[in-house]
């Protein structure tokens, strides 16, 4: 089982890449070193927003399927298989598969893994946290979300971290309003997390999403006045706070994807894709 003598996560064995039927349209970056530059901005018309919602629903239901299977003894690769099969069975493409060479259809980040964990033969054990991150691509647009799930009975500290990270996302969404700068989102999240002494990861942020997986728009989860894009109706982006029980310094494994807390403290994350409305935000990644 891929854990060291201190219980920290270590790389496991990665199974062969799962096939996607040829009839399913691929994002333009599949088979390339990276995506083409984003064009067209982050504001979408109502018709395109509904397409993003449709992709987001597929991704959310794929996470539902994986979450239902989370229990001690299950591997993260088995969760990825459930995600993959669900997404392709709904004529969508799992956006992470082939994105800058990523080999799987979801990200599964366990315990101290902040984000971008690669599904492998890691066996989940009682008390773990696992974040499942899924993006679906259909009709030319992506819908992106993630959710942290407890494995069996977890410590109260872990339960609280998960509950409060979910609440941090809710507060970030509540801060969304046309005319405000995007940095108000991070201010709301960081002020809430500070009440519990949690670290707020700064190196990874929310982002514009829609026709591109990542548009270049940055949505900070901490107080960052330099990110001053003004929210307008029709703007689509993710909010995805990552909170830790310790520090925010991070390390990246040799796979160039898996990001862990340097102090090995537990971390949790929740994410939704949303559109700015005249009155606030409409979440597009609900099942």
């Amino acid at each position: 089982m891929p854990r060291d003598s201190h219980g920290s996560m270590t790389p496991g064995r990665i199974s062969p890449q799962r096939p996607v039927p040829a009839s399913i349209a691929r994002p333009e970056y599949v088979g390339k070193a990276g995506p083409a530059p984003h064009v067209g901005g982050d504001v979408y018309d109502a018709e395109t927003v509904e397409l993003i919602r449709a992709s987001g629903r597929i991704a959310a239901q794929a996470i539902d399927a994986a979450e239902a299977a989370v229990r001690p003894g299950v591997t993260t690769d088995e969760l990825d298989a459930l995600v993959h099969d669900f997404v392709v069975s709904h004529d969508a493409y799992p956006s992470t598969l082939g994105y800058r060479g990523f080999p799987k259809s979801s990200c599964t980040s366990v315990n101290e893994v902040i984000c971008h964990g690669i599904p492998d033969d890691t066996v989940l054990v009682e008390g773990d946290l696992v974040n499942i991150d899924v993006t679906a691509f259909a009709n030319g647009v992506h819908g992106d979300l993630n959710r942290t799930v407890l494995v069996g009975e977890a410590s109260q500290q872990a339960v609280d971290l998960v509950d409060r990270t979910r609440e941090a996302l809710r507060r970030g969404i509540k801060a969304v309003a046309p005319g405000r700068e995007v940095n108000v989102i991070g201010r709301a999240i960081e002020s809430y997390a500070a009440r519990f002494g949690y670290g707020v990861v700064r190196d990874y942020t929310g982002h514009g999403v829609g026709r591109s997986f990542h548009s270049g728009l940055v949505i900070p989860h901490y107080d960052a006045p330099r990110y001053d894009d003004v929210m307008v109706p029709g703007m689509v982006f993710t909010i995805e706070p990552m909170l830790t029980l310790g520090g925010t310094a991070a390390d990246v494994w040799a796979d160039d994807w898996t990001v862990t807390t340097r102090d090995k403290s537990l971390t949790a994350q929740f994410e939704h894709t949303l559109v700015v409305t005249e009155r606030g935000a409409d979440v597009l990644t609900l099942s």
Side-chain angles (χ1 to χ4, degrees):
M1 182 170 58
R3 296 169 199 256
D4 66 18
S5 59
H6 301 288
S8 298
M9 308 309 300
T10 59
R13 290 188 300 275
I14 300 173
S15 65
Q17 183 170 308
R18 296 183 169 89
V20 177
S23 59
I24 294 177
R26 272 76 168 149
E28 55 79 24
Y29 52 74
V30 174
K32 301 177 183 177
H38 177 70
V39 295
D42 292 286
V43 177
Y44 295 93
D45 60 27
E47 180 180 0
T48 307
V49 167
E50 291 310 308
L51 294 177
I52 297 170
R53 192 192 307 275
S55 293
R57 184 178 297 113
I58 292 169
Q61 291 174 345
I63 290 183
D64 291 345
E67 182 176 359
V70 170
R71 59 181 60 87
V74 168
T75 69
T76 55
D77 188 62
E78 289 171 322
L79 299 181
D80 184 73
L82 290 168
V83 167
H84 179 90
D85 291 346
F86 187 94
V87 172
V88 301
S89 72
H90 287 76
D91 296 319
Y93 186 91
S95 302
T96 58
L97 187 63
Y99 179 76
R100 299 186 184 275
F102 192 84
K104 291 294 173 181
S105 300
S106 61
C107 299
T108 52
S109 302
V110 180
N111 294 345
E112 75 269 18
V113 179
I114 297 171
C115 58
H116 305 159
I118 300 174
D120 57 19
D121 65 348
T122 295
V123 178
L124 299 178
V125 302
E126 191 88 9
D128 279 346
L129 308 182
V130 57
N131 180 273
I132 305 168
D133 193 335
V134 178
T135 307
F137 176 80
N139 299 304
V141 294
H142 303 264
D144 182 10
L145 80 157
N146 71 56
R147 193 181 304 159
T148 299
V149 182
L150 298 163
V151 182
E153 295 294 324
S155 68
Q156 190 60 49
Q157 194 176 43
V159 171
D160 288 344
L161 176 65
V162 170
D163 288 345
R164 291 164 179 168
T165 306
R166 187 188 296 108
E167 174 64 13
L169 172 58
R170 191 192 71 80
R171 290 177 182 235
I173 293 171
K174 190 176 179 181
V176 172
R180 291 180 172 178
E181 295 180 353
V182 297
N183 55 57
V184 303
I185 298 167
R187 195 171 305 128
I189 290 168
E190 187 171 51
S191 63
Y192 175 72
R195 289 164 49 181
F196 311 103
Y198 294 157
V200 181
V201 173
R202 297 183 171 216
D203 293 342
Y204 301 89
T205 68
H207 55 89
V209 65
R211 293 189 185 92
S212 294
F213 194 174
H214 298 85
S215 73
L217 173 67
V218 172
I219 308 298
H221 304 123
Y222 61 99
D223 189 2
R226 70 182 180 276
Y227 296 111
D228 58 1
D229 294 271
V230 175
M231 292 181 270
V232 298
M235 183 181 283
V236 177
F237 53 81
T238 74
I239 303 175
E240 45 188 299
M242 295 156 249
L243 306 187
T244 81
L245 290 180
T248 61
D251 294 317
V252 181
W253 286 0
D255 61 24
D256 289 329
W257 283 107
T258 308
V259 182
T260 69
T261 52
R262 186 163 296 166
D263 60 12
K264 307 302 182 188
S265 61
L266 283 180
T267 179
Q269 181 185 14
F270 283 85
E271 174 187 20
H272 274 306
T273 297
L274 59 88
V275 60
V276 180
T277 68
E278 295 288 351
R279 295 185 177 184
D282 179 13
V283 174
L284 302 177
T285 40
L286 300 175
S287 55

